[in-house]
Amino acid sequence: MRRLRALPSIAILAAGYGFIFLPVVVLVLFSFQDGRLPVPPFKGFSLDWYEHVFANRRLMDGLGHSLAVALGSSAAATVLGFLAAWGLARARPRWAGAAQYVLMAPMTVSYLIIGMGLLITFNALGIPKSLVAVGAGHLVINLPLAFAICYAQLGEHQATVEQAARDLGASEAQALLLITVPMLWPALIASFCLAFTLSWDEFVIAFLLTRFDVTLPVAIWSMLRSGLNPETNAAGTLVFAVSIVLVLAVETLVLRRARRG
Amino acid sequence: MASDGRPDRRGGLARWAALPAIAVTLALFVAPLGVMAAHSLWARDGGATVASWSLANYREFLGNEALLAALANSLEVTLLVTALSVIVAYPIAWVLAYRVPRRLQRLALVLAVLPFWTSYVIRSYSWLLVLSENGVINQVLLGLGVIDAPVGMGNTRGATVLGFVHFFVMLLTLTTFASLVQIKESYRMAAADLGASPLQVFLRITLPLSLPGVAVGAFLTFVLAIGDYVTPQILGGGRELLLPQAIMLQVARRADFPLASAMSVVLMLVVTAAYLAFAKRLRMDRV
């Protein structure tokens, strides 16, 4: 009887997971295709296409550029977002509400529009397209995230410990670096990893703001013109794997801990 | 130093710590939107942009049938995607919240949203593999003898909708699940004790209490889908344009920044309107 009652639930989950994983499974499976087309039938297991990816100059350049942009923009976003969260939580200036509103605003606007705004502005100022411009765009989309994560973690508990440190003679900067930063370590890592994932995957801003030196998603985009190709599958699988590792790192490092606490 | 001899709690550093982030947001987000809004009122003369104020770009947008059709297509596709995603995600979230054993719940949820983290470009490309004429679905249907010749499913509105729904089902599963697990079991048990059938319990207790999560997910779906260029470009192709594709065409092919700006401003207004429409239901903090 219990079994029978569980049947519809199992059917719903199976259908749901099937739908959600279908394209991913096809992507990953046919990245190992021993043949020229990433479609059935599966002709056998081969790592050739991964070799192609690692030998593809454009993709490897894109990989390097993506890493640089993601590292730079996530680090900058995490530092600025943390400082802003700490400042607003501790000093509570009268304009804190307005500041919060401004800092979170980029979250409500499409990446396409953020990219367009930067493109038109840089164009008007005569600033050429470059990876630095992409990094600036990614800083804009990552900053609200970093701010929100850090702000949510800054409670009265840390304030008390910080105050104790100050009472014992630490300067404000010492209390910040030696007390607050170590206590917020998981939030800082989480914000860095999530920002990195967003930047690493981001396409449209990078597409608008680069010309010759492109990021990995833009390089993959231009591979699509050649149609279905197992090399694209292999590149996509690798990008996906990096994101998954980062997300799982956040999950284990921070969310677990937050749940226990 | 504060008057009681302790170091001032509201130190100098903390007071200024938020300024760099605010400056960055103003310089790289607020100002560019202002520049874009100004461009939307300027004219294009040859290849250059001239600062002569007028509503000509908006008139061109709203008077051009093809561009207007892109706006209508975007609204249609986005509303359809939002509705379908809610319908598909709700049962999944419900089963995850109430039928999956608690110790497996977190794992089941993480698994259900794992492909969320594939990049836009790759996710759409993956659907191309599934939908193309020699792709998985056609081969399976041919093998089963359901169809005699492959059916072209790429480059259609249906493919765009499918690609979108796939992504947003994961998002909505998350937000709906978050709402569902917060509903106290005692509410449902009390209703059942008072004689409500399981269907009545669902319709009068569970569904209304889970709506905040659905509303947040639906709003995010609307905002993210209507601004996305990648999915319609890869899966929908060029046969029928959505608004982001039309905007990109103005930029990439014609370098018409004023018209593209006007179209972007309209896109922003649509999103703002959606926000106001949802605002009463939206309690982001609760999810």
Side-chain angles (χ1 to χ4, degrees):
Chain A
M1 189 62 203
R2 241 186 102 80
R3 281 260 170 91
L4 275 179
R5 273 197 48 201
L7 217 56
S9 297
I10 292 172
I12 287 173
L13 270 197
Y17 281 117
F19 174 57
I20 288 168
F21 276 93
L22 174 64
V24 179
V25 169
V26 171
L27 175 82
V28 175
L29 178 66
F30 288 102
S31 71
F32 298 110
Q33 174 78 304
D34 191 5
R36 299 190 61 81
L37 274 179
V39 291
F42 189 65
K43 290 179 178 154
F45 184 87
S46 146
L47 287 174
D48 285 359
W49 298 108
Y50 287 88
E51 270 176 42
H52 274 88
V53 167
F54 288 113
N56 185 327
R57 188 65 196 278
R58 201 175 148 77
L59 282 179
M60 286 301 110
D61 285 351
L63 174 72
H65 298 149
S66 273
L67 285 176
V69 168
L71 279 174
S73 67
S74 322
T78 304
V79 171
L80 292 180
F82 164 71
L83 281 176
W86 176 75
L88 293 186
R90 289 293 174 269
R92 296 207 193 103
R94 250 173 297 136
W95 39 269
Q100 231 170 319
Y101 186 80
V102 169
L103 287 172
M104 294 306 289
M107 275 210 163
T108 60
V109 176
S110 310
Y111 288 1
L112 173 66
I113 291 175
I114 293 176
M116 284 283 303
L118 286 171
L119 172 69
I120 292 171
T121 307
F122 288 160
N123 192 57
L125 294 174
I127 300 171
K129 296 181 176 190
S130 72
L131 291 169
V132 177
V134 179
H138 287 182
L139 176 56
V140 171
I141 61 174
N142 286 332
L143 192 49
L145 187 82
F147 170 73
I149 292 176
C150 293
Y151 195 76
Q153 299 287 324
L154 274 167
E156 275 308 304
H157 171 56
Q158 287 103 342
T160 316
V161 183
E162 268 174 50
Q163 190 54 42
R166 297 295 305 281
D167 287 348
L168 293 170
S171 72
E172 197 181 18
Q174 280 174 322
L176 176 65
L177 287 176
L178 299 175
I179 305 295
T180 317
V181 169
M183 286 175 83
L184 274 198
W185 195 232
L188 294 173
I189 300 262
S191 121
F192 179 83
C193 287
L194 284 180
F196 191 99
T197 315
L198 282 189
S199 165
W200 163 254
D201 265 358
E202 199 285 325
F203 170 74
V204 83
I205 294 174
F207 185 61
L208 284 169
L209 296 179
T210 53
R211 183 160 290 157
F212 303 112
D213 288 340
V214 298
T215 62
L216 191 54
V218 180
I220 292 177
W221 172 267
S222 54
M223 285 173 80
L224 297 187
R225 254 177 251 154
S226 60
L228 304 184
N229 180 348
E231 190 180 347
T232 312
N233 288 46
T237 303
L238 291 172
V239 173
F240 181 43
V242 169
S243 299
I244 293 297
V245 168
L246 285 169
V247 171
L248 291 182
V250 172
E251 161 80 18
T252 38
L253 261 174
V254 187
L255 300 180
R256 284 269 162 81
R257 202 174 144 143
R259 239 182 356 142
R260 250 188 263 131
Chain B
M1 288 279 174
S3 54
D4 58 358
R6 293 168 137 217
D8 188 355
R9 176 186 283 259
R10 298 151 59 109
L13 211 58
R15 199 167 302 196
W16 307 111
L19 290 187
I22 293 169
V24 162
T25 306
L26 291 178
L28 296 176
F29 174 73
V30 178
L33 288 188
V35 171
M36 193 174 82
H39 268 73
S40 78
L41 297 168
W42 292 354
R44 184 159 161 268
D45 187 20
T49 302
V50 191
S52 59
W53 304 87
S54 82
L55 287 171
N57 296 309
Y58 292 93
R59 263 196 301 263
E60 185 176 347
F61 178 18
L62 300 176
N64 182 324
E65 239 171 74
L67 298 182
L68 214 52
L71 175 61
N73 290 337
S74 266
L75 286 172
E76 280 171 31
V77 166
T78 308
L79 289 173
L80 180 64
V81 163
T82 309
L84 284 176
S85 304
V86 169
I87 293 169
V88 176
Y90 202 98
I92 301 176
W94 188 88
V95 171
L96 285 174
Y98 297 142
R99 285 292 177 267
V100 171
R102 180 138 299 179
R103 70 199 151 79
L104 294 177
Q105 220 169 34
R106 183 140 199 109
L107 178 70
L109 190 67
V110 169
L111 265 183
V113 297
L114 207 57
F116 193 78
W117 301 102
T118 38
S119 70
Y120 268 150
V121 176
I122 294 300
R123 207 177 313 115
S124 302
Y125 169 77
S126 308
W127 275 109
L128 217 51
L129 295 172
V130 175
L131 296 174
S132 69
E133 291 209 359
N134 47 9
V136 177
I137 291 185
N138 268 314
Q139 301 246 12
V140 169
L141 292 181
L142 282 171
L144 292 173
V146 179
I147 51 173
D148 303 323
V151 183
M153 286 173 285
N155 290 333
T156 59
R157 178 185 280 204
T160 304
V161 170
L162 185 65
F164 270 138
V165 168
H166 175 246
F167 181 58
F168 293 114
V169 158
M170 295 187 267
L171 184 73
L172 269 154
T173 300
L174 265 185
T175 60
T176 309
F177 174 87
S179 254
L180 284 172
V181 290
Q182 278 173 28
I183 302 172
K184 288 207 178 82
E185 201 182 358
S186 54
Y187 293 175
R188 284 178 289 137
M189 281 163 69
D193 284 348
L194 293 170
S197 69
L199 183 66
Q200 279 175 318
V201 172
F202 175 74
L203 289 178
R204 309 202 37 187
I205 308 287
T206 313
L207 185 61
L209 286 175
S210 63
L211 281 184
V214 175
V216 168
F219 170 69
L220 290 174
T221 299
F222 184 91
V223 170
L224 293 173
I226 204 163
D228 184 31
Y229 165 71
V230 172
T231 307
Q233 183 69 15
I234 294 180
L235 290 172
R239 218 180 291 173
E240 165 189 88
L241 293 187
L242 300 193
L243 191 54
Q245 292 172 288
I247 293 175
M248 285 298 249
L249 270 183
Q250 306 309 322
V251 175
R253 292 250 180 95
R254 306 182 52 220
D256 191 341
F257 288 144
L259 183 55
S261 298
M263 294 169 72
S264 301
V265 170
V266 171
L267 178 56
M268 275 185 73
L269 291 179
V270 170
V271 172
T272 309
Y275 176 75
L276 294 177
F278 273 97
K280 280 186 191 153
R281 287 214 168 276
L282 282 178
R283 296 287 302 274
M284 296 271 186
D285 48 324
R286 271 215 233 144
V287 175

